[in-house]
Structures are given as structure tokens and as C-alpha cells.
Amino acid sequence: MPRQEIIRKARQDKRAGKSASTQAGEFVKHEIDKIRKGKHGARSTKQAIAIGLSEARRAGVDLPPPRKGRAKKATRRSAKYAYEVGQGKRTPKRRPRVSRAVEKVLKKEPRSTASRSALSKQGKRAASRRTAASRSATARKASRTKGAKARSTASKKAARTRTRRRS
């Protein structure tokens, strides 16, 4: 169960007009933090992200399940159930045995999947599957919903990395 603070941040993102995936990002970040603290591990970076997205769906973030052909049938079904729970269309079944078993398995998984390099690799891989137009459109929307202060910080950071890259 995600902390109320995470849910509050996601709702704040929604009010700011940010996309559902950005709202879900709060849950993913929380999951990555849990792995880094050593509460449990993950088989892959993708799994860590998937756990965060599932929690977001269950908490009511309007993030529909992936379309046919985008993910495995089982993944789509799982995402559909989580989404329905979050939208109040389904009451979740409590399954303590399954929950304990999953927890036990995750505790044995590696923690390195939440490292900076692993996340960077995953991000680059995901971006490479998207078109330039799609990435550009996302960046334009991000600049619209960022706000003056955050935009200023981002431009300063961009300037810093540009000067570093030249030398």
C-alpha cells in the first residue's frame, strides 16, 4: 500500500494538468526508493516499474492497461484488474498467502535493478522505441505543465550539461 504522501503528490500532478504517466511516476519513484533501501528487490528494472504502475492504477490514477500487442495477455489482464480496482469497478480480493509468497520471492531478487545505470539503460531503451515526433511532443507538453520555477531550473541544468559536454 503506497503512503498517503505519494497519493497526495500524484493528485497534485493531476491538478497541475500533468499526464497520467507523470502521476504514476510518483508511485514508480516510491518503488525504486523501496528497492534502494533494501525492503525488497526486483528481477529487472522493468519489473520495478511495473510494480509502481500497478500501485498507481490501484490508487486511482487514470492509466488504462496496455493495448493488445503491447504487452503479454497476462500483463494486460493484471493491469485491467488493477485499473478497475482504482476506478471503483471492482473490489480487490485479499489473498494473504499470495501476498506473502510474492513478498518472499521479491526479497531474494537483486537490488542492483534500481541503480542509476540500470534505470538509465532502461530509459534509453524505452526512448529508442519511440519516434522523434512523439518524444518532441512529450517535451513540448512537459514545458507547458512545468511552471516558471521548474522551467528555470531545467534551463540552468541544460546550460550546465551543455558546457560540460563541450570540454
Side-chain angles (χ1 to χ4, degrees), residues 21-40:
S21 59
T22 305
Q23 295 164 44
E26 293 295 343
F27 293 88
V28 174
K29 187 172 177 289
H30 179 62
E31 197 56 39
I32 297 294
D33 286 343
K34 270 165 61 174
I35 293 171
R36 283 179 175 169
K37 282 177 186 163
K39 292 210 169 96
H40 62 77

Side-chain angles (χ1 to χ4, degrees), residues 124-165:
K124 283 174 185 160
R125 204 175 300 130
S128 73
R129 282 196 296 267
R130 295 173 65 182
T131 63
S134 159
R135 294 196 308 269
S136 178
T138 305
R140 271 199 303 277
K141 182 174 182 187
S143 71
R144 280 201 307 274
T145 59
K146 212 176 203 82
K149 190 176 177 189
R151 208 170 16 248
S152 165
T153 309
S155 67
K156 282 175 190 164
K157 183 182 179 185
R160 271 202 314 275
T161 55
R162 262 197 300 274
T163 55
R164 236 185 260 148
R165 230 179 273 144

